Amino acid sequence: MSEAELRVKHLEELLEAERAGREDLKQALQARVDDLQTTILDLRKRLDQAEEEKMRLLPPPNDGERETRSRPRGLWARLTGG
């Protein structure tokens, strides 16, 4: 084999090693993304459960509170006290 052919062969081996390393990195990153997505889903579920628990533990609002909660006061009403 000539020196040029040996060099080409060596460069092809290096290229293949780089490709394999990149594929390993890609798989590791995808695994991390999957883990993070699982964590996000778990945290959302816990937040929903906490909100449900909070609502369950709060006393039921009377009619005046219910109206206030369902219809927040506008800016003008808050500024004028009306």
Side-chain angles (χ1 to χ4, degrees), residues 37 57 65 81:
Q37 287 176 335
L57 294 173
E65 289 177 357

Side-chain angles (χ1 to χ4, degrees), residues 42-76:
D42 179 58
L43 290 172
R44 284 181 179 159
K45 180 180 175 184
R46 290 178 189 208
L47 184 60
D48 289 343
Q49 289 172 343
E51 184 66 23
E52 289 171 4
E53 182 71 8
K54 180 180 83 173
M55 295 306 292
R56 188 180 67 76
L57 294 173
L58 286 174
N62 62 31
D63 291 336
E65 289 177 357
R66 186 174 292 134
E67 184 178 319
T68 303
R69 285 186 187 172
S70 64
R71 294 184 49 207
R73 293 174 31 183
L75 177 62
W76 185 252

Side-chain angles (χ1 to χ4, degrees), residues 16-42:
E16 183 57 35
E18 286 295 320
R19 285 180 179 154
R22 188 174 358 152
E23 186 61 32
D24 290 345
L25 180 59
K26 186 178 173 182
Q27 289 174 357
L29 288 172
Q30 186 59 50
R32 182 67 177 140
V33 166
D34 293 344
D35 288 344
L36 291 172
Q37 287 176 335
T38 300
T39 300
I40 289 169
L41 290 174
D42 179 58

